[in-house]
């Protein structure tokens, strides 16, 4: 985890956008830049200073995390003197960026009225300032996302034998989550999706206590683990017995589309090309309308982050980005099929980080 | 769950604040008012309309939840026509409230520039508009919080025998969380705190894989369950063997302070009186500085919500509010003690909803 490089890149961006400072309010962006992961904080970055402001609960944790990250942030615990310290650090700043897509209107109004009214500084709205920088992962980040993906792989393998015993969706979700903890996850990446039969037709189905995994039906699993704040994301669709012709055709189609998408991923390729590689195959087979979401998204400290792998996305893939490729087809009572891998973009292609076998029939 | 009453109260407040409409962006407030619990949405409430705007992923779920809640909201799925529908519903509105403490500066700027520039409507910042209304719980809400508290009680009882076997903090946390799921929780209220020995001196300690529950030390457990979106919150401190004189004195002091706090809770009492009932006892014993947080908080759809039970809080308790009373004393290497109950405010006192036995020594 190279925090010095991160602040260097952020400062270069400040200069290129003619900003003297930026005030970060988004906690994930603060974690990325400083290493601090508490639930309350703001961070000011100037050309030569980084100030992390947090409250008394994080006295101790903040110093420890900043020391570990070597990000060079100075920790300011909220008290009567914090305003003075912050204004001091910003004394020469004429243009101060705010994270307009994160900071509340209320906080912007307060800063404007109470902090900067007698100062000739301008509060400038920025969008995606840090989020764009977070796209390219450093070695430490890649290692953590790989570890998270491995944990999910191991957990799925461990729990797979349960699938044939007609468990409920909720039981399977719980077992998968317990197994991820057993294999070393610090948490789950998102609420695990276990969707059986027609429930699999809802892309964001929530596991139910009343719905059982049954023979001759589809079983969709979407899961990920969390390692030191970093996420993984993987979907597999299974069946036991004979799911029927339509479902089998859906699986083969999505499988083909997903492989085509993954084979398109490469530094320099635009995200809409990856989306089109999946979408065209599904559309040509006449299922275009049944693929109702985008093909993928970046993965990192957030489960959904930049870039957008969707129709019309102009984002160009760079070496070191980590994205998902996850086409799906959803057909009401027939159920749904989705297959998803998390992929590290390389110079000549990509490295797939999710290794669970793509075996449809597990009878 | 009386959604009709909720929108009635919200409309009365609109009238009293001379607002023609309010645009809600806070998802918890949207859930409270409409019954919709998806992860994306906005809601417009006017004198005679309630419009819920969400995206295609929630087509189906939104209609179902609105039907169940009978909140009367009209579901608008995001598409080319949503702007027209919204502007239509707001066509007579002169003053439109925004949730200034929630809406991003970016969204406020966009609304101002793109939506309302050719309309003579004023965008008015509001703070805590819905949050204040959420303080008083209806019968359905009380029932859910009671159910959540009962689940946590059962889970703690089930896992308590493990405490004497020198497990790690993390093992205990996992077992408590699994047990809550077993007893019917939909989720956990917050990351369960299991803090052994000197770790208990950190009010927000995170359970560690490397720290074991040991004889002659303090063990602090802070846990809660989630039932249909509603939280519970309870802390107990235990020991096994002989923790030492100072720790025993800390426990007795916090126990006395907590009981004093609970006995003060009653409709009409101000929150700073409840805080003072705890704080004065701890301060008189010379541990004032070691009680480093406020006495409590409201509990509901959020784990921390209004009112604030803290020094100087002017919030007056009302019948039907649910708050925690949770004084603590934290002394570095000696560890920390906190005892917490969730309490329903009644006309003549309160009903304690968390029933786990307050037994210090469990050897």
């Amino acid at each position: 985890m190279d925090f010095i490089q991160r602040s260097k890149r952020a400062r270069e961006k400040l200069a290129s956008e003619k900003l003297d400072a930026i005030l970060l309010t988004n906690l994930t962006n603060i974690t990325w830049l400083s290493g601090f992961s508490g639930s309350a904080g703001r961070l000011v970055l100037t050309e030569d200073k980084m100030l992390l402001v947090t409250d008394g609960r994080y006295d101790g944790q903040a110093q420890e995390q900043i020391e570990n990250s070597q990000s060079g942030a100075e920790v300011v615990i909220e008290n009567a003197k914090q305003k003075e310290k912050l204004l001091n650090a910003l004394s020469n700043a004429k243009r101060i960026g705010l994270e307009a897509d994160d900071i509340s209107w209320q906080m912007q109004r307060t800063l404007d009225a109470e902090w900067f009214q007698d100062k000739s500084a301008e509060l400038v709205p920025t969008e995606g300032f840090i989020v764009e920088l977070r796209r390219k992962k450093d070695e430490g980040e890649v290692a953590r996302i790989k570890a998270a993906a491995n944990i999910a792989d191991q957990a799925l393998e461990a729990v797979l034998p349960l699938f044939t015993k007609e468990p409920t969706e909720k039981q399977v979700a719980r077992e998968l989550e317990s197994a991820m903890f057993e294999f070393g996850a610090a948490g789950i990446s998102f609420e695990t999706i276990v969707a059986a039969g027609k429930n699999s037709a809802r892309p964001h189905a929530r596991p139910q206590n009343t719905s059982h995994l049954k023979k001759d039906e589809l079983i969709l699993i979407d899961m990920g683990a969390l390692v030191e704040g970093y996420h993984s994301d993987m979907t597999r669709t299974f069946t036991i017995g004979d799911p029927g012709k339509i479902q089998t055709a859906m699986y083969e189609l999505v499988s083909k589309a997903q492989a085509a998408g993954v084979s398109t991923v490469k530094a320099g390729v635009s995200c809409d090309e990856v989306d089109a590689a999946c979408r065209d195959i599904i559309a040509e087979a006449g299922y275009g309308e049944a693929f109702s979401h985008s093909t993928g998204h970046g993965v990192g400290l957030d489960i959904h982050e930049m870039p957008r792998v969707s129709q019309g996305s102009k984002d160009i893939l760079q070496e070191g980005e980590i994205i998902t490729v996850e086409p799906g087809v959803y057909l009401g009572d027939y159920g749904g099929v989705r297959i998803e891998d998390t992929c590290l973009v390389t110079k000549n292609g990509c490295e797939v980080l999710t290794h669970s076998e793509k075996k449809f029939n597990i009878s």
Side-chain angles (χ1 to χ4, degrees), chain A residues 11-71:
Chain A
R11 285 186 171 118
E12 284 166 6
K13 190 163 176 178
L14 279 182
S16 80
E17 303 207 356
K18 302 198 188 342
L19 292 171
D20 303 303
I22 187 162
L23 169 69
L24 303 185
T25 45
N26 179 290
L27 290 167
T28 312
N29 291 341
I30 291 174
T31 301
W32 180 83
L33 194 59
S34 72
F36 172 67
S37 70
S39 68
R42 278 145 288 147
L43 187 143
V44 169
L45 183 76
T46 69
E47 198 191 346
D48 56 358
K49 284 200 181 71
M50 196 194 300
L51 289 183
L52 169 70
V53 185
T54 184
D55 64 48
R57 287 177 299 166
Y58 294 107
D59 199 358
Q61 176 183 329
Q63 278 88 352
E64 205 176 298
Q65 291 187 315
I66 297 299
E67 206 167 295
N68 286 339
S69 72
Q70 301 189 287
S71 60

Side-chain angles (χ1 to χ4, degrees), chain A residues 103-111:
Chain A
I103 197 170
S104 70
W105 183 27
Q106 186 59 39
M107 189 165 168
Q108 180 270 330
R109 293 174 75 240
T110 304
L111 288 174

Side-chain angles (χ1 to χ4, degrees), chain A residues 33-298:
Chain A
L33 194 59
S34 72
F36 172 67
S37 70
S39 68
R42 278 145 288 147
L43 187 143
V44 169
L45 183 76
T46 69
E47 198 191 346
D48 56 358
K49 284 200 181 71
M50 196 194 300
L51 289 183
L52 169 70
V53 185
T54 184
D55 64 48
R57 287 177 299 166
Y58 294 107
D59 199 358
Q61 176 183 329
Q63 278 88 352
E64 205 176 298
Q65 291 187 315
I66 297 299
E67 206 167 295
N68 286 339
S69 72
Q70 301 189 287
S71 60
E74 178 188 342
V75 177
V76 180
I77 299 298
E78 271 179 358
N79 62 28
K81 293 214 169 147
Q82 58 144 326
K83 187 169 172 177
E84 196 184 318
K85 271 205 175 167
L86 280 172
L87 287 179
N88 196 32
L90 294 169
S91 58
N92 295 319
K94 298 278 174 237
R95 284 169 49 85
I96 301 168
L98 300 182
E99 293 186 288
D101 39 6
D102 184 85
I103 197 170
S104 70
W105 183 27
Q106 186 59 39
M107 189 165 168
Q108 180 270 330
R109 293 174 75 240
T110 304
L111 288 174
D112 200 39
E114 294 174 19
W115 283 58
F116 294 105
Q117 60 173 354
D118 44 348
K119 206 174 164 306
S120 58
E122 182 191 357
L123 295 177
V124 180
T126 71
E127 266 187 281
F129 187 98
I130 294 290
V131 161
E132 274 296 325
L133 297 174
R134 279 170 45 197
R135 287 176 53 173
K136 194 178 168 65
K137 269 69 184 173
D138 61 33
E139 275 180 36
E141 295 182 290
V142 172
R144 283 159 181 80
I145 296 170
K146 278 186 179 176
N150 286 342
I151 287 168
D153 286 337
Q154 288 173 283
L156 181 56
E157 193 184 348
V159 178
L160 212 54
L162 172 66
F163 286 26
T164 52
K165 293 172 186 156
E166 301 210 353
T168 67
E169 295 171 350
K170 195 94 182 179
Q171 279 174 324
V172 173
R174 246 186 254 160
E175 291 298 324
L176 288 170
E177 294 178 357
S178 292
M180 287 194 274
F181 282 114
E182 291 295 326
F183 289 115
I188 56 169
S189 207
F190 50 88
E191 197 186 355
T192 303
I193 296 176
V194 177
K198 65 180 179 181
N199 291 351
S200 59
R202 283 192 176 185
H204 289 260
R206 303 184 69 180
Q208 303 296 321
N209 259 325
T210 47
S211 166
H212 290 258
L213 275 60
K214 286 204 280 275
K215 216 168 151 289
D216 306 337
E217 291 192 343
L218 295 174
I219 304 164
L220 188 152
I221 308 287
D222 192 348
M223 64 189 290
L226 204 58
V227 170
E228 291 183 50
Y230 286 86
H231 298 73
S232 76
D233 199 355
M234 171 174 73
T235 308
R236 293 291 182 265
T237 305
F238 302 105
T239 192
I240 298 158
D242 177 11
K245 269 191 192 170
I246 290 182
Q247 286 87 342
T248 304
M250 283 162 66
Y251 188 88
E252 282 165 9
L253 179 64
V254 172
S255 176
K256 200 174 138 196
Q258 203 263 348
V262 170
S263 73
T264 313
V265 174
K266 193 170 114 172
V269 168
S270 80
C271 284
D272 65 354
E273 283 179 69
V274 179
D275 184 87
C278 296
R279 199 169 301 279
D280 289 352
I281 288 174
I282 291 171
E284 276 161 28
Y287 289 92
E289 295 251 314
F291 177 15
S292 52
H293 53 73
S294 57
T295 288
H297 53 84

Side-chain angles (χ1 to χ4, degrees), chain A residues 349-361:
Chain A
C350 75
E351 180 186 345
V352 175
L353 307 184
T354 38
H355 296 299
S356 293
E357 198 185 351
K358 293 182 187 109
K359 189 179 175 184
F360 183 38
N361 198 318

